[in-house]
Amino acid sequence: MPLDIPEVVIDRLPVYYRLLARLQREGTTVISSQELGDHLGVTPAQIRKDLSYFGRFGKQGRGYSVERLIEELRLILGLDRSWRMVLVGVGQLGRAIASYRGFAPAGFELVAAYDAHPDTVRIEDGPVVRPIGQLPTDLRAEPVDIGIVAVPANEAQDVIDTLVAGGVQAILNYAPRTVQVPANVHVRRIDPVVALQSMTYHLSRERPRR
Amino acid sequence: MPLDIPEVVIDRLPVYYRLLARLQREGTTVISSQELGDHLGVTPAQIRKDLSYFGRFGKQGRGYSVERLIEELRLILGLDRSWRMVLVGVGQLGRAIASYRGFAPAGFELVAAYDAHPDTVRIEDGPVVRPIGQLPTDLRAEPVDIGIVAVPANEAQDVIDTLVAGGVQAILNYAPRTVQVPANVHVRRIDPVVALQSMTYHLSRERPRR
DNA sequence: CCTTGTGAAATAGTTCACAGCA
DNA sequence: TGCTGTGAACTATTTCACAAGG
């Protein structure tokens, strides 16, 4: 498995994986790159090229075994284990994240939640909320893989510094702010306003103003 | 203003805009591409090149006027007006979206919400929830710019087809599914699991398994 | 000086097109 | 025949490096 796989390729793999999981539930056992591409709006060549970075999973003349491809992607993406996450920030957004039903089936386990005012918030069907001051100690006692940050923008950098100091190497950042991390730490931003603003660029050009 | 501006450039502009707004609140009046880059973790050349697609906003030897640059980006991104949005899907996620305080200050107005079971859900401090069957009629009566989709995965394509048929040209898709839209419609996906899975790829390589 | 704006060079990513195999 | 896997060609994006302006 080569070491210099483009980042864009990695970003597409979970999308392929999710589609394949659905197709399998619906009974598909074999699929061509053409059909996969039709579902996802990408070219068949791109799918074949992306997969070819990791191995030769298809059969000429037939296509890919859905089961085989799911299993390969599971291994490639590291989904053959579960991942421990902590949530920092238990406001309205944080509570919605903590209650999200999609993490656990995908192997992402929320092991703890932290807030500056732990007494005033409670997560339904979720972990107890601990005081944020306890975070450094807890991280040392029980390492986690991923930090989810849902604090106000002006607290995000501090929280992330704390997570990184505690050995967390992946951050899912819901705070509307770009943060700085060492090169070995991964950050993904979830920011609806930024997403909307890149669409309004196009909307204001394509549609005549009313 | 040229027509073939790379999409990646457009995606960065809202991030520049948000940083500049903060710097302005903090009292910065002039800033160089170097300093901007330091804040955002990108190269100064990239920032200068990105901005140069739209005009010459800087002053040699000095940098950029924060106020001027904010105003230019507002115009470029179409943020000099407000945008009408509807939400479809008022489950737990939908309610969190509807209650999010970040949309209105950015000029994004939630004008209506729809659900298959409007009687069973209520949005605190938000619009009345209408039956989803009413969506096509409502869109005809009062056009909206943007649709936010927070329905279960298997309903997402139908809902988006309805929105598109009703003239909506931009979709913010929270449903964990890739959807198909005509070429003139813009979609941005908000999917934490996909974001996490691209990070676990890296985590499983960089860190020795425990 | 210092920093922009920008062609040119370098790098990254996508698509083509076809040999080869089931 | 039908479809994969893949170098090669092409396209997109980033970075370099420097002339020019304040």
Side-chain angles (χ1 to χ4, degrees):
Chain A
M1 209 180 285
L3 289 100
D4 60 333
I5 293 159
E7 187 59 30
V8 278
V9 172
I10 307 307
D11 289 346
R12 283 191 291 264
L13 298 184
V15 177
Y16 299 168
Y17 178 76
R18 192 174 60 188
L19 171 61
L20 288 161
R22 169 163 72 90
L23 292 172
Q24 189 177 49
R25 283 196 305 276
E26 293 173 355
T28 309
T29 58
V30 174
I31 193 163
S32 67
S33 59
Q34 175 71 59
E35 293 169 291
L36 283 171
D38 290 346
H39 278 285
L40 297 173
V42 303
T43 65
Q46 177 155 85
I47 290 177
R48 294 200 302 276
K49 180 67 108 178
D50 285 354
L51 296 174
S52 76
Y53 284 107
F54 302 96
R56 301 148 66 110
F57 307 134
K59 280 203 176 38
Q60 283 141 327
R62 295 192 139 280
Y64 299 87
S65 151
V66 172
E67 185 179 12
R68 164 89 191 281
L69 204 41
I70 286 174
E71 186 50 27
E72 296 290 352
L73 286 172
R74 268 173 57 84
L75 295 174
I76 292 164
L77 292 171
L79 307 180
D80 55 329
R81 51 163 285 191
S82 80
W83 296 90
R84 293 164 52 83
M85 308 194 297
V86 291
L87 168 69
V88 188
V90 189
Q92 186 160 66
L93 175 61
R95 286 194 298 278
I97 295 166
S99 305
Y100 180 52
R101 292 293 194 291
F103 291 130
F108 295 95
E109 188 195 355
L110 190 65
V111 298
Y114 297 86
D115 197 276
H117 305 288
D119 303 330
T120 65
V121 288
R122 183 168 307 170
I123 301 168
E124 263 185 74
D125 275 335
V128 165
V129 182
R130 308 178 193 172
I132 193 156
Q134 215 173 298
L135 182 55
T137 326
D138 287 4
L139 288 176
R140 213 158 303 140
E142 287 213 88
V144 304
D145 304 296
I146 298 164
I148 303 185
V149 176
V151 297
N154 62 317
E155 295 166 27
Q157 185 67 60
D158 279 355
V159 163
I160 286 172
D161 291 346
T162 305
L163 288 165
V164 169
V168 175
Q169 296 202 39
I171 306 275
L172 194 60
N173 181 28
Y174 282 83
R177 182 134 172 186
T178 303
V179 291
Q180 289 170 324
V181 294
N184 64 319
V185 176
H186 303 271
V187 180
R188 289 288 181 280
R189 152 182 70 218
I190 302 270
D191 189 332
V193 169
V194 161
L196 290 171
Q197 289 174 338
S198 65
M199 291 197 289
T200 55
Y201 168 84
H202 297 288
L203 290 181
S204 26
R205 271 154 197 77
E206 286 156 19
R207 227 195 344 192
R209 295 285 293 277
R210 286 170 300 167
Chain B
M1 210 181 285
L3 288 101
D4 61 331
I5 293 159
E7 187 59 29
V8 278
V9 172
I10 306 308
D11 289 345
R12 283 191 291 265
L13 298 185
V15 176
Y16 299 168
Y17 178 77
R18 192 174 58 188
L19 170 62
L20 289 161
R22 170 164 72 92
L23 292 172
Q24 189 177 50
R25 282 195 305 276
E26 293 173 356
T28 308
T29 58
V30 174
I31 193 162
S32 67
S33 59
Q34 175 71 59
E35 293 170 291
L36 284 171
D38 290 346
H39 278 284
L40 297 173
V42 303
T43 65
Q46 178 157 85
I47 290 176
R48 294 200 302 276
K49 179 67 109 180
D50 286 353
L51 295 174
S52 78
Y53 284 106
F54 302 96
R56 302 147 65 109
F57 308 134
K59 280 200 176 38
Q60 283 143 328
R62 295 192 141 280
Y64 299 87
S65 152
V66 172
E67 184 180 11
R68 164 89 192 281
L69 205 41
I70 286 174
E71 186 51 27
E72 297 289 352
L73 287 172
R74 268 173 57 84
L75 295 174
I76 292 165
L77 292 171
L79 307 180
D80 55 330
R81 52 162 285 190
S82 80
W83 296 91
R84 293 164 51 82
M85 309 194 297
V86 291
L87 168 69
V88 188
V90 188
Q92 186 160 66
L93 175 62
R95 285 193 298 277
I97 294 166
S99 305
Y100 180 54
R101 291 293 193 291
F103 291 130
F108 295 96
E109 187 194 355
L110 190 65
V111 298
Y114 296 86
D115 196 275
H117 305 287
D119 303 331
T120 66
V121 289
R122 183 168 307 171
I123 301 168
E124 264 186 73
D125 275 336
V128 166
V129 182
R130 308 179 193 172
I132 194 157
Q134 216 173 298
L135 181 56
T137 326
D138 287 5
L139 288 176
R140 213 157 305 138
E142 287 213 87
V144 304
D145 304 296
I146 298 164
I148 303 185
V149 176
V151 297
N154 63 317
E155 295 167 27
Q157 184 67 60
D158 278 356
V159 163
I160 286 173
D161 290 346
T162 304
L163 287 166
V164 169
V168 175
Q169 297 203 39
I171 306 276
L172 194 61
N173 182 28
Y174 283 82
R177 182 132 170 189
T178 303
V179 291
Q180 290 169 324
V181 293
N184 64 319
V185 176
H186 303 271
V187 180
R188 288 288 182 281
R189 151 182 71 220
I190 303 270
D191 189 331
V193 169
V194 161
L196 290 171
Q197 289 174 338
S198 65
M199 291 198 289
T200 55
Y201 168 83
H202 298 287
L203 290 181
S204 28
R205 271 152 197 79
E206 286 155 19
R207 224 185 0 184
R209 294 285 293 277
R210 283 171 300 168

